[in-house]
CSV table of all heavy atoms in Angstrom, one decimal:
chain,number,residue,atom,x,y,z
A,1,MET,N,90.6,128.0,53.6
A,1,MET,CA,89.3,127.4,53.8
A,1,MET,C,89.4,126.2,54.8
A,1,MET,O,88.6,125.4,54.8
A,1,MET,CB,88.9,126.8,52.4
A,1,MET,CG,88.6,127.9,51.4
A,1,MET,SD,87.3,129.0,51.8
A,1,MET,CE,85.9,128.0,51.7
A,2,LYS,N,90.5,126.2,55.6
A,2,LYS,CA,90.6,125.1,56.5
A,2,LYS,C,89.5,125.3,57.6
A,2,LYS,O,89.3,126.3,58.2
A,2,LYS,CB,92.0,125.2,57.2
A,2,LYS,CG,92.3,124.1,58.2
A,2,LYS,CD,93.7,124.2,58.7
A,2,LYS,CE,93.9,123.1,59.7
A,2,LYS,NZ,95.2,123.2,60.3
A,3,GLY,N,88.8,124.2,57.9
A,3,GLY,CA,87.8,124.2,58.9
A,3,GLY,C,86.4,124.6,58.5
A,3,GLY,O,85.5,124.6,59.2
A,4,SER,N,86.3,125.0,57.2
A,4,SER,CA,85.0,125.4,56.7
A,4,SER,C,84.1,124.2,56.4
A,4,SER,O,84.6,123.2,56.0
A,4,SER,CB,85.1,126.4,55.5
A,4,SER,OG,85.7,125.7,54.4
A,5,VAL,N,82.8,124.4,56.5
A,5,VAL,CA,81.9,123.3,56.2
A,5,VAL,C,81.0,123.7,55.0
A,5,VAL,O,80.6,124.8,54.9
A,5,VAL,CB,81.0,123.0,57.4
A,5,VAL,CG1,80.0,121.9,57.1
A,5,VAL,CG2,81.8,122.7,58.6
A,6,ALA,N,80.9,122.8,54.0
A,6,ALA,CA,80.1,123.1,52.9
A,6,ALA,C,78.6,123.2,53.3
A,6,ALA,O,78.2,122.5,54.2
A,6,ALA,CB,80.2,122.0,51.8
A,7,GLN,N,77.8,124.0,52.6
A,7,GLN,CA,76.4,124.2,52.9
A,7,GLN,C,75.6,122.9,52.9
A,7,GLN,O,74.7,122.7,53.7
A,7,GLN,CB,75.8,125.2,52.0
A,7,GLN,CG,74.4,125.6,52.3
A,7,GLN,CD,74.3,126.3,53.6
A,7,GLN,OE1,75.3,126.9,54.1
A,7,GLN,NE2,73.1,126.3,54.2
A,8,SER,N,75.9,122.0,52.0
A,8,SER,CA,75.2,120.8,51.8
A,8,SER,C,75.4,119.9,53.0
A,8,SER,O,74.5,119.1,53.4
A,8,SER,CB,75.5,120.0,50.5
A,8,SER,OG,76.9,119.7,50.6
A,9,GLU,N,76.5,119.9,53.7
A,9,GLU,CA,76.8,119.1,54.8
A,9,GLU,C,76.2,119.6,56.1
A,9,GLU,O,75.8,118.9,57.0
A,9,GLU,CB,78.3,118.9,55.0
A,9,GLU,CG,79.0,118.2,53.9
A,9,GLU,CD,80.5,118.1,54.2
A,9,GLU,OE1,80.9,118.4,55.3
A,9,GLU,OE2,81.2,117.8,53.2
A,10,ALA,N,76.0,121.0,56.2
A,10,ALA,CA,75.5,121.6,57.4
A,10,ALA,C,74.0,121.4,57.6
A,10,ALA,O,73.6,121.4,58.8
A,10,ALA,CB,75.8,123.1,57.3
A,11,GLY,N,73.2,121.2,56.6
A,11,GLY,CA,71.8,121.2,56.8
A,11,GLY,C,71.2,119.8,56.9
A,11,GLY,O,70.0,119.7,57.0
A,12,GLY,N,72.0,118.7,56.9
A,12,GLY,CA,71.3,117.4,56.8
A,12,GLY,C,71.3,116.6,58.1
A,12,GLY,O,70.8,115.5,58.1
A,13,GLY,N,71.8,117.1,59.2
A,13,GLY,CA,71.9,116.3,60.4
A,13,GLY,C,70.8,116.5,61.3
A,13,GLY,O,69.7,116.9,61.0
A,14,GLY,N,71.0,116.1,62.6
A,14,GLY,CA,70.0,116.1,63.6
A,14,GLY,C,69.9,117.4,64.3
A,14,GLY,O,69.2,117.5,65.4
A,15,GLY,N,70.5,118.5,63.8
A,15,GLY,CA,70.3,119.8,64.4
A,15,GLY,C,71.5,120.1,65.3
A,15,GLY,O,72.2,119.2,65.8
A,16,GLU,N,71.7,121.4,65.5
A,16,GLU,CA,72.8,121.8,66.3
A,16,GLU,C,72.3,122.0,67.7
A,16,GLU,O,71.1,121.8,68.0
A,16,GLU,CB,73.3,123.2,65.8
A,16,GLU,CG,74.0,123.1,64.4
A,16,GLU,CD,74.4,124.5,63.9
A,16,GLU,OE1,74.4,125.4,64.7
A,16,GLU,OE2,74.8,124.6,62.8
A,17,ARG,N,73.2,122.3,68.6
A,17,ARG,CA,72.9,122.5,70.0
A,17,ARG,C,71.8,123.6,70.1
A,17,ARG,O,72.0,124.7,69.6
A,17,ARG,CB,74.1,122.8,70.8
A,17,ARG,CG,73.9,122.9,72.2
A,17,ARG,CD,75.2,123.1,72.9
A,17,ARG,NE,74.9,123.6,74.3
A,17,ARG,CZ,75.8,124.0,75.1
A,17,ARG,NH1,77.1,124.0,74.8
A,17,ARG,NH2,75.5,124.3,76.3
A,18,GLY,N,70.8,123.3,70.9
A,18,GLY,CA,69.7,124.3,71.0
A,18,GLY,C,68.6,124.2,70.1
A,18,GLY,O,67.6,124.8,70.3
A,19,GLU,N,68.7,123.4,69.1
A,19,GLU,CA,67.6,123.2,68.1
A,19,GLU,C,66.7,122.1,68.6
A,19,GLU,O,67.1,121.2,69.2
A,19,GLU,CB,68.2,122.9,66.7
A,19,GLU,CG,68.8,124.0,66.0
A,19,GLU,CD,69.2,123.7,64.6
A,19,GLU,OE1,68.6,122.8,64.0
A,19,GLU,OE2,70.1,124.4,64.1
A,20,PHE,N,65.4,122.2,68.2
A,20,PHE,CA,64.4,121.2,68.6
A,20,PHE,C,64.6,120.0,67.7
A,20,PHE,O,64.7,120.1,66.5
A,20,PHE,CB,63.0,121.8,68.5
A,20,PHE,CG,62.0,120.8,68.7
A,20,PHE,CD1,61.7,120.4,70.0
A,20,PHE,CD2,61.2,120.3,67.7
A,20,PHE,CE1,60.7,119.4,70.3
A,20,PHE,CE2,60.2,119.3,67.9
A,20,PHE,CZ,60.0,118.9,69.2
A,21,SER,N,64.6,118.8,68.3
A,21,SER,CA,64.7,117.6,67.5
A,21,SER,C,63.5,116.7,67.9
A,21,SER,O,63.4,116.2,69.0
A,21,SER,CB,66.0,116.9,67.7
A,21,SER,OG,66.0,115.6,67.1
A,22,LEU,N,62.6,116.5,66.9
A,22,LEU,CA,61.4,115.7,67.2
A,22,LEU,C,61.8,114.2,67.5
A,22,LEU,O,61.3,113.6,68.3
A,22,LEU,CB,60.4,115.8,66.0
A,22,LEU,CG,59.1,115.0,66.2
A,22,LEU,CD1,58.3,115.5,67.4
A,22,LEU,CD2,58.3,115.0,64.9
A,23,VAL,N,62.8,113.7,66.7
A,23,VAL,CA,63.2,112.3,66.9
A,23,VAL,C,63.8,112.1,68.3
A,23,VAL,O,63.5,111.1,69.0
A,23,VAL,CB,64.2,111.9,65.8
A,23,VAL,CG1,64.8,110.6,66.0
A,23,VAL,CG2,63.6,112.0,64.4
A,24,ALA,N,64.6,113.0,68.7
A,24,ALA,CA,65.2,112.9,70.1
A,24,ALA,C,64.1,113.0,71.1
A,24,ALA,O,64.2,112.2,72.1
A,24,ALA,CB,66.2,114.0,70.3
A,25,LEU,N,63.1,113.8,71.0
A,25,LEU,CA,62.0,113.9,71.9
A,25,LEU,C,61.2,112.6,71.9
A,25,LEU,O,60.9,112.1,73.0
A,25,LEU,CB,61.1,115.1,71.5
A,25,LEU,CG,59.9,115.3,72.4
A,25,LEU,CD1,60.3,115.6,73.8
A,25,LEU,CD2,58.9,116.3,71.8
A,26,LEU,N,60.9,112.1,70.8
A,26,LEU,CA,60.2,110.8,70.7
A,26,LEU,C,61.0,109.7,71.4
A,26,LEU,O,60.4,108.9,72.1
A,26,LEU,CB,59.8,110.5,69.3
A,26,LEU,CG,58.8,111.4,68.6
A,26,LEU,CD1,58.6,111.0,67.2
A,26,LEU,CD2,57.5,111.3,69.4
A,27,LEU,N,62.3,109.6,71.1
A,27,LEU,CA,63.1,108.6,71.8
A,27,LEU,C,63.1,108.7,73.3
A,27,LEU,O,63.0,107.7,74.0
A,27,LEU,CB,64.5,108.6,71.2
A,27,LEU,CG,64.7,108.1,69.8
A,27,LEU,CD1,66.1,108.4,69.3
A,27,LEU,CD2,64.4,106.6,69.8
A,28,ARG,N,63.2,109.9,73.8
A,28,ARG,CA,63.2,110.1,75.2
A,28,ARG,C,61.9,109.8,75.8
A,28,ARG,O,61.8,109.2,76.9
A,28,ARG,CB,63.6,111.6,75.5
A,28,ARG,CG,65.0,111.9,75.3
A,28,ARG,CD,65.4,113.3,75.7
A,28,ARG,NE,66.8,113.5,75.5
A,28,ARG,CZ,67.3,114.7,75.4
A,28,ARG,NH1,66.6,115.7,75.6
A,28,ARG,NH2,68.6,114.8,75.2
A,29,LEU,N,60.8,110.1,75.1
A,29,LEU,CA,59.4,109.8,75.6
A,29,LEU,C,59.2,108.3,75.6
A,29,LEU,O,58.6,107.7,76.6
A,29,LEU,CB,58.4,110.5,74.8
A,29,LEU,CG,58.2,112.0,75.0
A,29,LEU,CD1,57.2,112.6,74.0
A,29,LEU,CD2,57.8,112.3,76.4
A,30,MET,N,59.7,107.6,74.6
A,30,MET,CA,59.6,106.1,74.6
A,30,MET,C,60.4,105.5,75.7
A,30,MET,O,59.9,104.5,76.3
A,30,MET,CB,60.0,105.6,73.2
A,30,MET,CG,59.0,105.9,72.2
A,30,MET,SD,59.4,105.4,70.5
A,30,MET,CE,60.8,104.4,70.5
A,31,MET,N,61.6,106.0,76.0
A,31,MET,CA,62.4,105.5,77.1
A,31,MET,C,61.7,105.7,78.4
A,31,MET,O,61.7,104.8,79.3
A,31,MET,CB,63.8,106.0,77.1
A,31,MET,CG,64.7,105.5,75.9
A,31,MET,SD,66.4,106.0,76.0
A,31,MET,CE,66.3,107.8,75.8
A,32,LEU,N,61.1,106.9,78.6
A,32,LEU,CA,60.4,107.2,79.8
A,32,LEU,C,59.2,106.3,80.0
A,32,LEU,O,59.0,105.8,81.1
A,32,LEU,CB,60.0,108.7,79.8
A,32,LEU,CG,59.3,109.1,81.1
A,32,LEU,CD1,60.1,109.0,82.3
A,32,LEU,CD2,58.8,110.6,80.9
A,33,ALA,N,58.5,106.1,78.9
A,33,ALA,CA,57.3,105.2,79.0
A,33,ALA,C,57.7,103.8,79.3
A,33,ALA,O,57.0,103.1,80.1
A,33,ALA,CB,56.5,105.3,77.7
A,34,ALA,N,58.8,103.3,78.7
A,34,ALA,CA,59.3,101.9,79.0
A,34,ALA,C,59.7,101.8,80.5
A,34,ALA,O,59.4,100.8,81.1
A,34,ALA,CB,60.4,101.6,78.1
A,35,ALA,N,60.4,102.8,81.0
A,35,ALA,CA,60.8,102.8,82.4
A,35,ALA,C,59.6,102.8,83.3
A,35,ALA,O,59.5,102.0,84.3
A,35,ALA,CB,61.7,104.0,82.7
A,36,VAL,N,58.6,103.6,83.1
A,36,VAL,CA,57.4,103.7,83.9
A,36,VAL,C,56.7,102.3,83.8
A,36,VAL,O,56.2,101.8,84.8
A,36,VAL,CB,56.5,104.8,83.4
A,36,VAL,CG1,55.1,104.7,84.1
A,36,VAL,CG2,57.1,106.2,83.8
A,37,PHE,N,56.6,101.8,82.6
A,37,PHE,CA,55.9,100.5,82.5
A,37,PHE,C,56.6,99.4,83.3
A,37,PHE,O,56.0,98.6,84.0
A,37,PHE,CB,55.9,100.1,81.0
A,37,PHE,CG,55.4,98.7,80.7
A,37,PHE,CD1,54.0,98.4,80.8
A,37,PHE,CD2,56.3,97.6,80.5
A,37,PHE,CE1,53.6,97.1,80.6
A,37,PHE,CE2,55.8,96.4,80.3
A,37,PHE,CZ,54.4,96.1,80.3
A,38,LEU,N,57.9,99.3,83.2
A,38,LEU,CA,58.7,98.3,84.0
A,38,LEU,C,58.5,98.5,85.5
A,38,LEU,O,58.4,97.5,86.2
A,38,LEU,CB,60.2,98.4,83.6
A,38,LEU,CG,60.5,97.9,82.2
A,38,LEU,CD1,61.9,98.1,81.8
A,38,LEU,CD2,60.1,96.4,82.0
A,39,VAL,N,58.5,99.7,85.9
A,39,VAL,CA,58.3,100.0,87.4
A,39,VAL,C,56.9,99.5,87.8
A,39,VAL,O,56.8,98.8,88.8
A,39,VAL,CB,58.6,101.4,87.7
A,39,VAL,CG1,58.1,101.8,89.1
A,39,VAL,CG2,60.1,101.8,87.6
A,40,CYS,N,55.9,99.9,87.0
A,40,CYS,CA,54.6,99.5,87.4
A,40,CYS,C,54.4,98.0,87.3
A,40,CYS,O,53.7,97.4,88.2
A,40,CYS,CB,53.6,100.2,86.5
A,40,CYS,SG,53.4,102.0,86.8
A,41,ALA,N,54.9,97.4,86.3
A,41,ALA,CA,54.8,95.9,86.2
A,41,ALA,C,55.5,95.2,87.3
A,41,ALA,O,54.9,94.3,87.9
A,41,ALA,CB,55.4,95.4,84.8
A,42,GLY,N,56.7,95.7,87.7
A,42,GLY,CA,57.4,95.1,88.9
A,42,GLY,C,56.6,95.3,90.2
A,42,GLY,O,56.5,94.4,91.0
A,43,TYR,N,56.0,96.5,90.3
A,43,TYR,CA,55.2,96.7,91.5
A,43,TYR,C,54.0,95.8,91.6
A,43,TYR,O,53.7,95.2,92.6
A,43,TYR,CB,54.8,98.2,91.6
A,43,TYR,CG,53.7,98.5,92.6
A,43,TYR,CD1,54.1,98.6,94.0
A,43,TYR,CD2,52.4,98.6,92.3
A,43,TYR,CE1,53.2,98.8,95.0
A,43,TYR,CE2,51.5,98.9,93.3
A,43,TYR,CZ,51.9,99.0,94.6
A,43,TYR,OH,51.0,99.2,95.6
A,44,LEU,N,53.3,95.6,90.5
A,44,LEU,CA,52.1,94.8,90.5
A,44,LEU,C,52.5,93.3,90.7
A,44,LEU,O,51.8,92.6,91.4
A,44,LEU,CB,51.4,95.0,89.2
A,44,LEU,CG,50.7,96.3,89.0
A,44,LEU,CD1,50.1,96.4,87.6
A,44,LEU,CD2,49.7,96.6,90.0
A,45,MET,N,53.6,92.9,90.1
A,45,MET,CA,54.0,91.5,90.3
A,45,MET,C,54.4,91.2,91.8
A,45,MET,O,54.1,90.2,92.3
A,45,MET,CB,55.2,91.2,89.4
A,45,MET,CG,54.8,91.0,87.9
A,45,MET,SD,56.2,90.9,86.8
A,45,MET,CE,56.9,89.4,87.4
A,46,GLU,N,55.1,92.2,92.4
A,46,GLU,CA,55.5,92.0,93.8
A,46,GLU,C,54.3,92.0,94.7
A,46,GLU,O,54.2,91.3,95.7
A,46,GLU,CB,56.5,93.1,94.2
A,46,GLU,CG,57.9,92.9,93.7
A,46,GLU,CD,58.5,91.6,94.3
A,46,GLU,OE1,58.3,91.3,95.5
A,46,GLU,OE2,59.1,90.8,93.5
A,47,ARG,N,53.3,92.9,94.4
A,47,ARG,CA,52.1,93.0,95.2
A,47,ARG,C,51.3,91.7,95.1
A,47,ARG,O,50.8,91.1,96.1
A,47,ARG,CB,51.2,94.1,94.7
A,47,ARG,CG,50.1,94.4,95.7
A,47,ARG,CD,49.4,95.7,95.3
A,47,ARG,NE,48.5,95.4,94.1
A,47,ARG,CZ,47.6,96.2,93.6
A,47,ARG,NH1,47.5,97.4,94.2
A,47,ARG,NH2,46.9,95.9,92.6
A,48,ARG,N,51.2,91.1,93.8
A,48,ARG,CA,50.5,89.9,93.6
A,48,ARG,C,51.2,88.7,94.4
A,48,ARG,O,50.6,87.9,95.0
A,48,ARG,CB,50.5,89.6,92.1
A,48,ARG,CG,49.8,88.3,91.7
A,48,ARG,CD,49.7,88.2,90.2
A,48,ARG,NE,49.4,86.9,89.9
A,48,ARG,CZ,49.5,86.4,88.6
A,48,ARG,NH1,50.0,87.1,87.7
A,48,ARG,NH2,49.1,85.2,88.4
A,49,ARG,N,52.6,88.7,94.3
A,49,ARG,CA,53.3,87.7,95.0
A,49,ARG,C,53.1,87.8,96.5
A,49,ARG,O,53.0,86.7,97.2
A,49,ARG,CB,54.8,87.8,94.7
A,49,ARG,CG,55.7,86.7,95.2
A,49,ARG,CD,57.1,86.8,94.7
A,49,ARG,NE,57.8,87.9,95.3
A,49,ARG,CZ,58.5,87.9,96.5
A,49,ARG,NH1,58.6,86.7,97.1
A,49,ARG,NH2,59.0,88.9,97.0
A,50,HIS,N,53.1,89.0,97.0
A,50,HIS,CA,52.9,89.2,98.4
A,50,HIS,C,51.5,88.7,98.8
A,50,HIS,O,51.3,88.1,99.9
A,50,HIS,CB,53.1,90.6,98.8
A,50,HIS,CG,53.0,90.9,100.2
A,50,HIS,ND1,54.0,90.5,101.2
A,50,HIS,CD2,52.1,91.6,101.0
A,50,HIS,CE1,53.6,90.9,102.4
A,50,HIS,NE2,52.4,91.5,102.3
A,51,ASN,N,50.5,89.0,98.0
A,51,ASN,CA,49.1,88.6,98.4
A,51,ASN,C,49.0,87.1,98.3
A,51,ASN,O,48.3,86.5,99.1
A,51,ASN,CB,48.1,89.3,97.4
A,51,ASN,CG,48.0,90.8,97.7
A,51,ASN,OD1,48.3,91.2,98.8
A,51,ASN,ND2,47.5,91.5,96.7
A,52,ASN,N,49.6,86.5,97.4
A,52,ASN,CA,49.6,85.0,97.3
A,52,ASN,C,50.2,84.4,98.5
A,52,ASN,O,49.8,83.4,99.0
A,52,ASN,CB,50.2,84.5,96.0
A,52,ASN,CG,49.4,84.8,94.8
A,52,ASN,OD1,48.2,85.0,94.9
A,52,ASN,ND2,50.0,84.7,93.6
A,53,LYS,N,51.3,85.0,99.0
A,53,LYS,CA,52.0,84.4,100.1
A,53,LYS,C,51.2,84.5,101.4
A,53,LYS,O,51.1,83.6,102.2
A,53,LYS,CB,53.3,85.2,100.3
A,53,LYS,CG,54.2,84.7,101.4
A,53,LYS,CD,55.4,85.6,101.6
A,53,LYS,CE,56.7,85.1,101.2
A,53,LYS,NZ,57.8,85.9,101.5
A,54,LEU,N,50.4,85.7,101.5
A,54,LEU,CA,49.6,85.8,102.6
A,54,LEU,C,48.4,84.9,102.6
A,54,LEU,O,48.0,84.3,103.6
A,54,LEU,CB,49.0,87.3,102.7
A,54,LEU,CG,50.0,88.3,103.1
A,54,LEU,CD1,49.4,89.7,103.1
A,54,LEU,CD2,50.6,88.1,104.5
A,55,SER,N,47.8,84.6,101.4
A,55,SER,CA,46.7,83.7,101.3
A,55,SER,C,47.1,82.3,101.6
A,55,SER,O,46.3,81.5,102.1
A,55,SER,CB,46.0,83.8,99.9
A,55,SER,OG,46.9,83.4,98.9
A,56,LEU,N,48.3,81.9,101.3
A,56,LEU,CA,48.8,80.6,101.6
A,56,LEU,C,49.0,80.4,103.1
A,56,LEU,O,48.8,79.3,103.6
A,56,LEU,CB,50.1,80.3,100.8
A,56,LEU,CG,50.0,80.1,99.3
A,56,LEU,CD1,51.4,79.9,98.7
A,56,LEU,CD2,49.2,78.8,99.0
A,57,GLU,N,49.5,81.4,103.8
A,57,GLU,CA,49.7,81.4,105.2
A,57,GLU,C,48.3,81.2,105.9
A,57,GLU,O,48.2,80.6,106.9
A,57,GLU,CB,50.4,82.6,105.7
A,57,GLU,CG,51.9,82.6,105.3
A,57,GLU,CD,52.6,83.9,105.7
A,57,GLU,OE1,51.9,84.8,106.3
A,57,GLU,OE2,53.8,84.0,105.5
A,58,LYS,N,47.3,81.9,105.4
A,58,LYS,CA,46.0,81.8,106.0
A,58,LYS,C,45.4,80.4,105.9
A,58,LYS,O,44.7,79.9,106.8
A,58,LYS,CB,45.0,82.8,105.4
A,58,LYS,CG,45.3,84.2,105.8
A,58,LYS,CD,44.4,85.2,105.1
A,58,LYS,CE,44.7,86.6,105.4
A,58,LYS,NZ,43.8,87.5,104.7
A,59,LYS,N,45.7,79.7,104.8
A,59,LYS,CA,45.1,78.3,104.6
A,59,LYS,C,45.8,77.3,105.5
A,59,LYS,O,45.2,76.3,105.8
A,59,LYS,CB,45.3,77.9,103.1
A,59,LYS,CG,44.4,78.7,102.2
A,59,LYS,CD,44.6,78.2,100.8
A,59,LYS,CE,43.8,79.1,99.8
A,59,LYS,NZ,44.0,78.7,98.4
A,60,VAL,N,47.0,77.6,105.9
A,60,VAL,CA,47.7,76.6,106.7
A,60,VAL,C,47.4,76.7,108.2
A,60,VAL,O,46.7,77.3,108.8
A,60,VAL,CB,49.3,76.8,106.6
A,60,VAL,CG1,50.0,75.9,107.5
A,60,VAL,CG2,49.6,76.5,105.1
């Protein structure tokens, strides 16, 4: 019986390779959403900073 797995241990994990895991999918979607949010926020902040710099140059 060397290397055998009891039935109770086999069915309680996050799934084997090739199985669908809702938790893994949700985690990946949350990471993707966070990355998109950070990129968009950085873009908007840089655009705002650039516009403020241009408006200050026009006043001088």
Side-chain angles (χ1 to χ4, degrees):
M1 297 298 289
K2 183 177 180 182
S4 65
V5 178
Q7 184 66 22
S8 62
E9 294 177 16
E16 295 178 8
R17 185 175 165 185
E19 289 186 22
F20 176 75
S21 174
L22 181 62
V23 174
L25 177 66
L26 290 176
L27 285 172
R28 287 182 179 166
L29 287 175
M30 286 178 8
M31 288 189 294
L32 179 64
V36 169
F37 173 77
L38 289 174
V39 168
C40 289
Y43 171 76
L44 292 174
M45 288 172 62
E46 284 296 316
R47 190 173 77 169
R48 181 177 166 194
R49 186 176 69 92
H50 182 72
N51 287 340
N52 286 341
K53 187 188 251 187
L54 288 178
S55 66
L56 288 175
E57 289 175 358
K58 289 180 183 177
K59 291 180 182 177
V60 173

